[in-house]
Amino acid sequence: MKRSKLFNRNTLVAAMLVGVISIGGIMAYFTDTDSETNTFTVGKVTIDQDEPNYPGNDTDKTTNITPNEVIPKDPTITNTGINDAFVFMTVTVPCADVVTANQEGVKEAKGVKDLFSYTVNSGWVQVGNKLDVKSGGYTVAHRYLYAWGDASKCTALTAGSKTKALFDNVTMINLIEGQTYPDGSPIETSTNNILIQSYAIQTEDLNGHDGNAKTAPADVWAIIDNQREVNGDFNADTSVDASAIGY
């Protein structure tokens, strides 16, 4: 009987030791960890507008001008940013309800006409229609929109690149003397401004991916107009207040 009790006691101790080893085995798994940080650098779209051959305001070439005089004026856009960009220019030209003469000196019918004309260079395309710019209830200017590209697709202006000039010069119309603005002030001694504004937007992921992004000039401009509220719906027969575009 005594041997039997001793055997049972040893068995119990052995069982307890096995239990301790089993618990230690549950807590001692091999483990490891790793991580990876994805770094993204944000791009930037910036542009500079320049007119390298424009003589400047208040110079002999831009004061006391006469009908048919040609003034050097060659607006360009340079992509000074990091990303490629689609670029646009708006040109706001003063106008008046006037009588002009053709190249032979024959009078032409009176009408609202731009006081300056220009020829758009290749590589640029007009988008939509001109906008009437209003002030005091009168049309004082016309605003035009141009895209760097063609009628179907904008051309990407790569970082560090420069467009051709939109035009090379402007020419005053053949205005007959003695005419006035609606307020009675004379046109002949007036100061007139041609306002040129440039815009740029990224070329990738414009409302779509995998070939569905916007590239047509009218579509891309609509995105710029919606985002920046530049008062430029050139696809409708509308007008804009002069103060709204800084004219």
Side-chain angles (χ1 to χ4, degrees):
M1 294 295 292
K2 289 182 180 179
R3 288 184 178 181
S4 179
K5 289 181 179 179
L6 179 61
F7 178 79
N8 290 339
R9 187 182 300 115
N10 291 341
T11 302
L12 179 61
V13 171
M16 289 175 65
L17 288 175
V18 171
V20 171
I21 292 171
S22 296
I23 293 171
I26 291 172
M27 297 178 67
Y29 291 116
F30 290 128
T31 62
D32 191 15
T33 184
D34 192 8
S35 66
E36 183 173 340
T37 300
N38 299 121
T39 302
F40 300 92
T41 302
V42 179
K44 189 176 184 180
V45 173
T46 55
I47 54 173
D48 280 344
Q49 178 180 296
D50 189 28
E51 295 177 318
N53 293 311
Y54 181 62
N57 298 331
D58 301 320
T59 63
D60 290 342
K61 287 295 294 180
T62 57
T63 55
N64 301 321
I65 60 175
T66 54
N68 292 325
E69 186 169 350
V70 178
I71 303 102
K73 189 173 179 65
D74 49 349
T76 62
I77 298 175
T78 300
N79 183 349
T80 57
I82 299 171
N83 298 80
D84 294 352
F86 292 144
V87 295
F88 296 79
M89 281 192 196
T90 59
V91 182
T92 305
V93 184
C95 66
D97 191 9
V98 294
V99 177
T100 55
N102 62 22
Q103 295 302 314
E104 287 73 39
V106 177
K107 279 188 178 182
E108 298 173 318
K110 186 177 183 179
V112 178
K113 304 173 185 179
D114 291 346
L115 298 182
F116 297 89
S117 63
Y118 51 84
T119 300
V120 176
N121 288 325
S122 62
W124 289 94
V125 63
Q126 184 175 346
V127 182
N129 307 310
K130 68 181 179 183
L131 286 181
D132 290 341
V133 179
K134 300 283 190 176
S135 180
Y138 297 99
T139 299
V140 297
H142 291 136
R143 193 181 191 210
Y144 302 87
L145 173 64
Y146 301 95
W148 179 240
D150 57 38
S152 62
K153 185 177 181 180
C154 292
T155 298
L157 186 64
T158 57
S161 298
K162 185 177 184 177
T163 66
K164 288 182 181 179
L166 176 59
F167 45 79
D168 298 319
N169 49 63
V170 295
T171 303
M172 184 180 176
I173 63 171
N174 197 10
L175 184 70
I176 293 178
E177 70 278 1
Q179 301 185 75
T180 61
Y181 291 111
D183 63 2
S185 61
I187 295 177
E188 288 170 276
T189 56
S190 63
T191 298
N192 295 279
N193 299 315
I194 297 176
L195 175 63
I196 299 177
Q197 295 164 300
S198 296
Y199 303 88
I201 191 171
Q202 68 191 61
T203 60
E204 298 181 355
D205 302 324
L206 292 178
N207 285 12
H209 304 277
D210 302 326
N212 295 319
K214 306 294 186 182
T215 59
D219 293 337
V220 176
W221 176 254
I223 297 172
I224 295 176
D225 191 25
N226 290 335
Q227 180 169 316
R228 300 187 64 92
E229 297 181 347
V230 293
N231 300 288
D233 184 6
F234 290 86
N235 292 316
D237 186 15
T238 59
S239 63
V240 61
D241 189 85
S243 62
I245 59 170
Y247 187 75

